[in-house]
Structure formats: structure tokens, C-alpha cells
Amino acid sequence: MEAPPLPAASVSCRNLGKSGLRVSCLGLGTWVTFGSQISDETAEDVLTVAYEHGVNLFDTAEIYAAGKAERTLGNILKSKGWRRSTYVITTKIFWGGQAETERGLSRKHIIEGLQGSLERLQLGYVDIVFANRSDPNSPMEEIVRAMTYVINQGLALYWGTSRWGAAEIMEAYSMARQFNLIPPVCEQAEHHLFQREKVETQLPELYHKIGSQPPTLPFPGMMGETGPSGPLRMWLKDKVQNEVGKKQQQAKVMDLLPIAHQLGCTVAQLAIAWCLRSEGVSSVLLGVSSAEQLMEHLGALQVLSQLTPQTVMEIDGLLGNKPHSKK
């Protein structure tokens, strides 16, 4: 029998890396939901419930639903009339349109892409603009200079990287130091029970060299008891095409059920709490398709306090994929 959802607590805030920006430890993502999978009415319900429970971080991208996700988010924020200073909007730039000049991280596309996002969002600025993957065609100095420019112009307050490698993040920091430019404040990385290496070993080693905590905004890919949903479904579709791989992962999810039941929670809540336990994680981005699902996910906050080192060891044992630091 499935455990009943835990009541949601008000979401607490953490610093975004070494910046002074306070973001809710659970954020709301709009990937595959806003502007495509769910109606605008449902999107408004989800956003309202999130905001009322203390979620202040809303994440989108120019590519989500070909710009419709940003439009939907912008329309809802406008109709709600919440004070702009009470929430944090992040968007990602890389895939803007069909033309060669509408893609990548050239100075041209960073500036024009962000202007396009702001128009769809009906906002004067975003809090964080992410480079939505690295771009081998654009020199790193150009990228860092363009990001510094959009911040100096007031179009964004911070910039970050998304799905960048450790070496590329290091290069961006070095460029920023060398030319007195603005470095990225965080990395948005894929991090969940089946994807651990980068967030648990590569980023901490990198930030150890840079001299700061690894500020991470993972999109964990939630799992419901009935199977994967949201980003994890997409991830499984892309990464685990063969049936054997799928069966192995589904079996591991089933292995986690007794631990979830012991803690009185669902596997999805356990997966989110597991992500949140990492000290380098500033906020875990949730992908949900209803207000009910959001409330269930917010219940993960109750589970976090129950995740003892012993329970984490038990989960590691079942998964068998704990990465080893190379130090």
C-alpha cells in the first residue's frame, strides 16, 4: 500500500552558493509541463500553491515548449501581481530559434536571446541567466564578457552554467579573474539516484580548487511509485533505451520502497530528500503536473530530517552506484 503524502512544511531558504541570494531549497521547474503538458489554469494552480508554501525560485528556458513556457510563466506572474522582489526567476539561453545566429553562446545570441526571454516573461530582468550547455564554437572570453554585459545592463542579476563540465566552469572562473569580469554563481546539473558522479565528486573537487562551496541547482527527475515522471522520464527515454537497463532501474526503485515505507513517505519524497541532503545543493528543481503532485513533493522536507547517515548508507548499498572521490 502506498504511504499517504506527508503534510508540506513551509519551504526554507538556502544561499545560492557564495552569493547573498536566498533561494527556496525546493524550486519549481517548467520543463515539459508549462505551455505543453498542462493547461495554463493548472500551471497557475501549481505556481500559486508553490508560492504560498514558500517556494520563491521558478526556473524556465527559452527552448521550453518553444518559448511558450516563458509566456505562460510571465502571464501568471503578471496576473498574480506578486512583488517582483519576492521571487527569483531563472532562464536558460542556448537554443533560441532555427537560424544559426539564434543558437549558441555568441555575444549576439546571449544578448538577443535574453531580451527575447524577458519579452515573453514580461519582466525587466531575470535573477539568474544560465548558459544552457557549453558552446565549443564560442570563445570563453566572449561568453563571460557577454554575461558580464547583460548583468551590467540590468537584464540579469547573476549568471550560471547548466550542464557544463568541470574544466569549462574552471575556464570561465579563470577568464573572470583575469579580466575582472563577473564569474558564474552556480551550476545547474542533473542529479538524482541514478546520476551522481558530477555533483558528488567532480564539482566538489572543482570548487575546492576555486575556493568555494559547490552551489548546485539539480533537476533530480522525480520518481513516483507507479514509475518515472517529469525530467526523469525524459532522461530514462534518452539514456536507457534498452529494456535490460530499464528493468534494472525499475527494480532499484522497487528496492527503495521498504525504506520509503519505513520513513512513512513515497519513493518520490525519498528521492527529493536524498538530493537535498547534499550540502552543495542550493535548491532542487521540481517538475510537477498538478498542485496535488506538488504538495506530495513538498512533503519531502519532512523526510529530510529523518535521513540519518545509516539510512543514506542503506540507500547507497541498494543503489550500488556511490561515486568515489579521486582525491
Side-chain angles (χ1 to χ4, degrees), residues 92-129:
K92 295 182 281 298
I93 303 296
F94 192 94
W95 292 279
Q98 295 307 307
E100 277 293 319
T101 48
E102 294 177 318
R103 297 194 292 269
L105 298 177
S106 66
R107 181 182 178 88
K108 178 176 172 66
H109 184 56
I110 286 173
I111 295 168
E112 291 176 345
L114 182 53
Q115 285 169 337
S117 287
L118 292 173
E119 209 174 291
R120 289 186 291 275
L121 288 162
Q122 304 173 66
L123 294 174
Y125 65 93
V126 293
D127 296 272
I128 310 167
V129 57

Side-chain angles (χ1 to χ4, degrees), residues 82 258 298 308 314:
W82 297 326
L298 293 181
T308 60
E314 208 179 319

